Amino acid sequence: KQKWVLERDFVIEELEVSGRKMRYQQIENSFTQPNALINIKMLEWAQRVLGQNKDSDLLELYCGNGNFTLPLSFNFR
């Protein structure tokens, strides 16, 4: 029950979503969408469905590593 960290216990993942690079720090033992291509499709779909709401706020609860928070932040105030 020991953890040996050689360099770091996370990886940096970059996804291009709707022409913008999203950079995520994926920490060991945290949930993330493991299929990057599916993740990009989900995020772009959510952006399209929600549209531009520059006069509105978005409250995302239980956002984890911000997978949806980061790309959707461009659609809201």
Side-chain angles (χ1 to χ4, degrees):
K1 298 199 178 204
Q2 287 185 327
K3 178 178 176 177
W4 292 65
V5 178
L6 299 178
E7 187 176 332
R8 58 185 188 197
D9 63 349
F10 63 89
V11 295
I12 301 295
E13 179 180 33
E14 284 189 1
L15 303 175
E16 188 166 326
V17 180
S18 300
R20 288 192 169 103
K21 284 193 178 181
M22 302 289 143
R23 196 174 153 110
Y24 297 93
Q25 180 175 313
Q26 306 293 10
I27 300 170
E28 179 187 12
N29 290 327
S30 62
F31 175 78
T32 185
Q33 172 53 254
N35 186 323
L37 295 177
I38 294 298
N39 195 19
I40 291 168
K41 297 285 185 196
M42 284 190 327
L43 297 172
E44 290 176 341
W45 174 84
Q47 284 182 321
R48 274 194 316 277
V49 169
L50 291 171
Q52 293 295 316
N53 296 286
K54 296 298 184 181
D55 295 328
S56 299
D57 296 324
L58 173 68
L59 175 62
E60 183 184 357
L61 302 174
Y62 311 104
C63 60
N65 73 342
N67 187 54
F68 282 92
T69 305
L70 292 174
L72 293 181
S73 69
F74 296 103
N75 292 52
F76 293 86
R77 182 175 36 197

